[in-house]
């Protein structure tokens, strides 16, 4: 299987030389085709909201643009990139594709990028994205938007280059400082992350998201009380800014105050503007019981979250709840039963949820099957891994490919093939479970410097999630015991 990083490098490297200039007379910004000036104004307002992470307002304005111009292809496209409602995503993606003949070549490329990555045709999607960058190398917003998408794929180096390119066009383009903060944080430079977030606040002091982002950089630096103050400041600016309300729950959970975290999550669930977010936040609340190792309560909370997800037609979240149950369930038989339930629930919605969402969750389920059977049933683990490899070789998403590499590394560790496991685990760069195994593999192969660096990264990991909850606390305990012996 081709390296994930090489996939991006091959497709994107040609774009960067083109970013230095554009052809004489060529438009420097991506056109926006609409028959309605009012719809154009709503679309632009939505893009500004998107840049400020006010996604619910962005969706509201883009839907208003569509109401004014039912053939507004880019409005449909950005709804697809933003919504967490699978029905809305599928409907608007098909509408955007149907309008391709009515828009400019650049807009067609944007639609092809969106459709490719949402339909799990990543090579096609990234190729279109690459061609779009080459057409409009000086479009600051386009550079930012592509960089943001790359950041979400954990492609930090490429994302940083494009973000800096956007800032070169406009040094006061505030959202880029937000993006740089997150990029610096993910590469371990927390001082620069805090500095960049501070610049974001300076440029937009009366917007809630700069304070929210600054708070997260403080939290990642271990400055929890200062982070809480900034989250509260964001909510003072806008009490409906549900993201900061959710982040209060995240912060208290990481601090170990799980009861307070659940209270904050309850408020976030109430405020969440969509069913997809409500389903997500329900499972964040359930995770607090896993942190407390109260597995019976966690079991009930995730089952309750699954039922509520089904009632809201959030089918992937329903299956995900059972997959997570299988991850923390101490008893292997019970874990595999929950995993089978997750598989069945997901399979029942094939063709209903977007292809990429379906495939990525299926890949995560298969990875958990490898993890739960690697030591007890190698044949089952190998079969699941073979299925994952087949999925990853078919132009799948980055997350699907990472599931394969993480699972492959897990099985190789179980087989004590540490040197062979390392390149696979290194591909799964943002998963604490893989990071924990990678530390062990480095130590077994005598790579002391790499082991020390990865150990430090894992010990300081403060990005919440089920993988973090299962790996980081256990690793800290193991390291403390090892230090005493």
């Amino acid at each position: 299987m081709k390296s994930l990083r090489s996939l991006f490098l091959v497709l994107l490297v040609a774009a960067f030389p083109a970013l230095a200039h554009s052809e004489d007379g060529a438009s420097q910004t991506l056109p926006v085709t609409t028959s309605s000036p009012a719809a154009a104004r709503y679309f632009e307002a939505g893009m500004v909201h998107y840049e400020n992470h006010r996604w619910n307002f962005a969706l509201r304005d883009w839907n208003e643009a569509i109401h004014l111009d039912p053939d507004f292809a880019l409005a449909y496209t950005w709804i697809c990139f933003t919504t967490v409602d699978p029905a809305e995503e599928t409907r608007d993606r098909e509408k955007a594709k149907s309008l391709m003949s009515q828009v400019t070549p650049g807009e067609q490329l944007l639609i092809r990028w969106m459709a490719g990555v949402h339909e799990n045709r990543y090579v096609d999607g990234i190729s279109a994205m690459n061609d779009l960058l080459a057409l409009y190398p000086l479009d600051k917003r386009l550079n930012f938007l592509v960089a943001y998408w790359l950041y979400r794929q954990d492609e930090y180096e490429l994302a940083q280059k494009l973000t800096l390119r956007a800032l070169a066009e406009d040094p006061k383009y505030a959202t880029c400082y937000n993006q740089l903060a997150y990029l610096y944080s993910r590469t371990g430079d927390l001082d620069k992350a805090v500095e960049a977030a501070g610049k974001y606040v300076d440029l937009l002091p009366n917007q809630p998201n700069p304070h929210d982002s600054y708070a997260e950089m403080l939290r990642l630096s271990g400055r929890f009380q200062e982070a809480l103050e900034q989250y509260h400041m964001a909510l003072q600016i806008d009490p409906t800014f549900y993201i900061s309300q959710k982040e209060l729950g995240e912060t208290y959970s990481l601090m170990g105050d799980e009861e307070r975290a659940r209270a904050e999550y309850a408020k976030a669930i109430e405020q969440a503007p969509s069913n997809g977010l409500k389903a997500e936040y329900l499972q964040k609340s359930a995770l607090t019981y896993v942190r407390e190792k109260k597995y019976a309560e966690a079991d009930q909370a995730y089952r309750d979250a699954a039922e509520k997800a089904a009632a809201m037609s959030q089918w992937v979240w329903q299956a995900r709840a059972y997959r997570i149950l299988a991850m923390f369930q101490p008893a292997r038989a019970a874990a595999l039963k929950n995993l089978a339930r997750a598989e069945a629930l997901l399979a029942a919605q094939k063709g209903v949820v977007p292809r990429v969402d379906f495939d990525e969750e299926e890949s995560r389920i298969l990875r958990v099957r490898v993890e739960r059977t690697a030591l007890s049933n190698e044949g089952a683990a190998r079969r699941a891994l073979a299925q994952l490899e087949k999925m990853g070789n078919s132009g799948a998403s980055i997350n699907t490919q990472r599931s394969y590499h993480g699972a492959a590394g897990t099985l190789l560790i179980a087989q004590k093939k540490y040197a062979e496991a390392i390149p696979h685990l290194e591909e799964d760069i943002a998963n604490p479970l893989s990071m924990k195994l990678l530390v062990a593999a480095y130590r077994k192969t005598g790579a002391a410097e790499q082991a020390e660096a990865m150990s430090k990264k894992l010990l300081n990991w403060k990005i919440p999630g089920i993988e973090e909850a299962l790996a980081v606390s256990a690793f800290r305990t193991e390291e403390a015991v090892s230090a005493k012996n």
Side-chain angles (χ1 to χ4, degrees):
M1 180 182 295
K2 180 179 285 189
S3 162
L4 305 177
R5 293 180 182 84
S6 68
L7 171 64
F8 278 105
L9 288 171
V10 166
L11 291 173
L12 282 171
V13 73
F16 283 102
L19 291 175
H21 63 278
S22 59
E23 295 180 6
D24 292 341
S27 172
Q28 294 189 7
T29 59
L30 177 70
V32 176
T33 299
T34 177
S35 61
S36 166
R41 289 193 293 271
Y42 274 107
F43 177 78
E44 174 60 21
M47 295 305 299
V48 173
H49 285 312
Y50 185 91
E51 290 173 343
N52 290 326
H53 290 221
R54 309 300 299 270
W55 296 302
N56 54 325
F57 293 159
L59 289 166
R60 177 200 65 191
D61 287 348
W62 292 330
N63 275 299
E64 183 61 30
I66 288 168
H67 175 73
L68 293 167
D69 178 4
D71 293 332
F72 200 157
L74 283 196
Y76 289 110
T77 304
W78 281 107
I79 289 172
C80 292
F81 266 123
T82 308
T83 184
V84 293
D85 182 337
E88 183 176 43
E89 190 281 333
T90 300
R91 180 185 65 243
D92 285 17
R93 172 164 40 87
E94 291 304 316
K95 183 65 175 177
K97 288 164 61 179
S98 74
L99 294 168
M100 285 182 65
S101 64
Q102 301 180 32
V103 296
T104 64
E107 291 168 287
Q108 292 175 18
L109 287 169
L110 181 58
I111 295 168
R112 284 175 49 203
W113 168 29
M114 177 275 297
V117 298
H118 280 254
E119 294 170 1
N120 225 356
R121 296 181 289 102
Y122 257 57
V123 173
D124 292 343
I126 297 169
S127 294
M129 181 181 75
N130 186 55
D131 291 343
L132 182 59
L133 280 173
L135 267 182
Y136 301 103
L138 301 181
D139 187 330
K140 68 176 185 180
R141 174 175 283 164
L142 181 61
N143 280 303
F144 158 73
L145 292 168
V146 173
Y148 180 57
W149 185 83
L150 288 168
Y151 159 76
R152 294 173 68 182
Q153 313 307 308
D154 301 321
E155 290 296 330
Y156 305 136
E157 182 179 355
L158 293 171
Q160 184 171 328
K161 287 181 179 180
L162 286 170
T163 304
L164 291 172
R165 184 73 62 177
L167 277 175
E169 293 299 316
D170 181 0
K172 293 186 177 181
Y173 192 19
T175 191
C176 288
Y177 291 103
N178 178 46
Q179 190 147 282
L180 283 177
Y182 281 90
L183 289 165
Y184 288 136
S185 75
R186 296 309 188 256
T187 55
D189 196 337
L190 292 174
D191 289 340
K192 282 190 175 180
V194 171
E195 180 184 0
K199 288 182 180 178
Y200 185 35
V201 172
D202 289 342
L203 287 166
L204 296 175
N206 298 319
Q207 284 285 334
N209 193 64
H211 295 279
D212 180 274
S213 296
Y214 189 39
E216 186 164 351
M217 298 309 111
L218 292 168
R219 185 177 76 199
L220 290 170
S221 302
R223 297 158 64 178
F224 291 111
Q225 290 301 328
E226 293 175 77
L228 291 171
E229 291 171 8
Q230 288 293 321
Y231 286 129
H232 283 296
M233 191 173 296
L235 288 167
Q236 286 174 7
I237 293 170
D238 182 357
T240 71
F241 194 61
Y242 61 93
I243 298 172
S244 285
Q245 183 58 55
K246 178 261 296 182
E247 292 295 343
L248 285 174
E250 305 277 65
T251 305
Y252 281 114
S253 187
L254 287 168
M255 293 171 67
D257 189 346
E258 306 305 334
E259 185 174 349
R260 179 66 182 271
R262 287 189 283 273
E264 300 296 349
Y265 281 135
K267 295 176 187 176
I269 293 164
E270 180 67 25
Q271 292 179 6
S274 69
N275 286 337
L277 288 170
K278 289 181 186 296
E280 178 185 353
Y281 295 173
L282 281 163
Q283 295 194 24
K284 287 182 177 294
S285 183
L287 181 60
T288 61
Y289 293 110
V290 178
R291 292 188 191 282
E292 294 177 304
K293 296 182 172 53
K294 295 180 178 178
Y295 296 122
E297 290 90 338
D299 188 284
Q300 183 56 50
Y302 274 104
R303 292 180 190 278
D304 178 64
E307 289 182 9
K308 289 177 178 176
M312 295 184 290
S313 300
Q314 297 299 311
W315 312 116
V316 174
W317 283 107
Q318 183 192 21
R320 187 168 294 158
Y322 283 94
R323 188 251 298 171
I324 293 174
L325 280 168
M327 293 176 72
F328 71 77
Q329 180 65 249
R332 189 178 64 85
L336 292 177
K337 184 177 180 180
N338 284 321
L339 203 59
R341 176 70 171 150
E343 289 173 326
L345 288 168
L346 187 65
Q349 303 304 325
K350 189 170 186 178
V352 176
V353 301
R355 171 72 183 276
V356 68
D357 293 343
F358 182 94
D359 285 357
E360 287 184 356
E361 186 57 32
E362 184 180 23
S363 75
R364 294 184 181 109
I365 290 170
L366 288 167
R367 174 180 178 151
V368 176
R369 185 167 292 284
V370 172
E371 291 170 343
R372 296 306 307 235
T373 59
L375 292 172
S376 59
N377 188 341
E378 186 176 323
R382 285 183 176 277
R383 288 191 293 274
L385 184 61
Q387 189 174 345
L388 259 176
E389 184 174 21
K390 183 177 180 181
M391 291 176 67
N393 278 328
S394 59
S397 77
I398 300 305
N399 289 327
T400 296
Q401 293 188 50
R402 287 194 173 124
S403 290
Y404 163 73
H405 285 289
T410 298
L411 184 55
L412 288 164
I413 291 287
Q415 297 168 338
K416 303 188 187 310
K417 298 178 180 179
Y418 302 108
E420 294 177 46
I422 287 172
H424 287 289
L425 296 170
E426 287 177 337
E427 290 287 348
D428 196 23
I429 60 172
N431 187 321
L433 291 171
S434 289
M435 292 161 64
K436 186 171 183 286
L437 292 175
L438 195 51
V439 172
Y442 283 144
R443 287 173 175 169
K444 289 289 187 180
T445 57
E449 185 176 341
Q450 293 93 324
E452 178 64 22
M454 185 58 63
S455 175
K456 182 179 179 181
K457 183 177 180 180
L458 187 56
L459 287 169
N460 292 319
W461 192 265
K462 296 183 183 69
I463 303 172
I466 182 61
E467 294 84 3
E468 168 268 329
L470 294 175
V472 176
S473 177
F475 186 71
R476 287 173 181 158
T477 301
E478 292 168 9
E479 292 295 282
V481 170
S482 177
K484 290 180 180 179
N485 295 334

